[in-house]
């Protein structure tokens, strides 16, 4: 019962990551594998992304573990402290190395599948529902997720677990869980769906049109922007001035609109673009890396 309740709450972390556009190593395994197989990135780009996101996630989890819950005294009560020790024992002391590896395959298979099906959802509520149940399933089954373990095992070390050291954690949990997560997300989700939907395809048309106007307003995202001299800026003026980006609107299509389907979505006029908006653009991913290199050589 306790595991089921925990499983139903756990997915909020992945929901926040996906909706905020943050980087998670285990989901990047899927994304970068697809990009590499479709020749959009080089092997060095893939390795660099995995290493940076892995170390960034590790730093974030250790910060939260030590500063927020460690020095914050969240688990100072005897029952809480005992549970952290017992949970770590079940995670890495009792199972064998290959069992952690196999559990990690299943864990990231479900996590990456959750992220994959969330991509097909437009409204935020639909994305949350798509993410929630596969993620809750892997937690309920007791599978191993290398990033989640970056909190659960170090907090046990913090609470002086008698059998777990840093070296033991790296060998018995971090390495097999990371390798299993790479296999589960990269092979069973990334490579599989690349083979089913993208193998044999050339240039892929990338369309960020979100469908209805309501969906676009709710989901936002990296839609193309066009400058309009007639669109008022936040200060009530029109046009642009030196050093300013000018008033801008987001151009999109609303299939629910009557007559002209072209609509203009309100925009603040700021020249700033979110990180995910800069990365997800058709100029970067519409052509393979080889095609882009050929174009550069031609210039």
């Amino acid at each position: 019962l306790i595991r089921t309740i925990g499983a139903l709450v756990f997915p909020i972390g992945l929901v926040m990551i996906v909706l905020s556009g943050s980087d998670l190593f285990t989901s990047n395994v899927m994304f970068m594998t697809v990009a590499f197989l479709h020749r959009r990135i080089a092997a060095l780009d893939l390795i660099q992304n995995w290493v940076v996101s892995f170390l960034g996630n590790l730093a974030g989890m250790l910060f939260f573990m030590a500063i927020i819950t460690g020095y914050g005294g969240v688990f100072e009560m005897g029952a809480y402290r005992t549970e952290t020790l017992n949970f770590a024992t079940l995670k890495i002391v009792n199972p064998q190395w290959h069992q952690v590896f196999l559990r990690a395959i299943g864990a990231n298979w479900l996590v990456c599948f959750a992220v994959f099906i969330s991509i097909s959802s437009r409204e935020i509520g639909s994305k949350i529902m798509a993410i929630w149940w596969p993620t809750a399933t892997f937690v309920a089954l007791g599978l191993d997720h290398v990033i989640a373990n970056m909190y659960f095992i170090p907090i046990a070390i913090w609470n002086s677990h008698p059998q777990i050291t840093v070296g033991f954690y790296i060998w018995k949990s971090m390495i097999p869980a990371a390798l299993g997560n790479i296999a589960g997300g990269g092979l069973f989700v990334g490579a599989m769906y690349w083979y089913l939907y993208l193998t044999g395809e050339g240039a892929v048309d990338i369309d960020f049109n979100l469908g209805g106007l309501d969906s676009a307003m709710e989901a936002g995202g990296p839609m193309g922007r066009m400058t309009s001299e007639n669109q008022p800026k936040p200060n009530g003026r029109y046009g642009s001035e030196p050093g300013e980006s000018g008033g801008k609107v987001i151009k999109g299509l609303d299939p629910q609109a009557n007559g002209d389907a072209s609509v203009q979505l309100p925009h603040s006029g700021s020249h700033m673009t979110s990180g995910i908006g800069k990365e997800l653009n058709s100029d970067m991913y519409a052509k393979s890396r080889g095609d882009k290199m050929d174009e550069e050589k031609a210039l």
Side-chain angles (χ1 to χ4, degrees), residues 71-83:
Y71 287 115
V74 175
F75 296 115
E76 284 187 349
M77 294 182 61
Y80 291 154
R81 182 179 181 277
T82 301
E83 180 57 28

Side-chain angles (χ1 to χ4, degrees), residues 17 22-26 28 47-65 146-148 150-151 169 174:
I17 290 170
S22 302
D23 277 285
L24 179 67
F25 164 74
T26 46
N28 282 356
I47 295 173
Q48 178 181 344
N49 179 277
W50 286 1
V51 170
V52 171
S53 60
F54 185 90
L55 294 178
N57 290 164
L58 176 62
M61 295 300 278
L62 292 180
F63 172 84
F64 190 86
M65 180 279 299
V146 65
I147 306 302
M150 288 177 180
Y151 176 83
Y169 160 56
M174 183 178 288

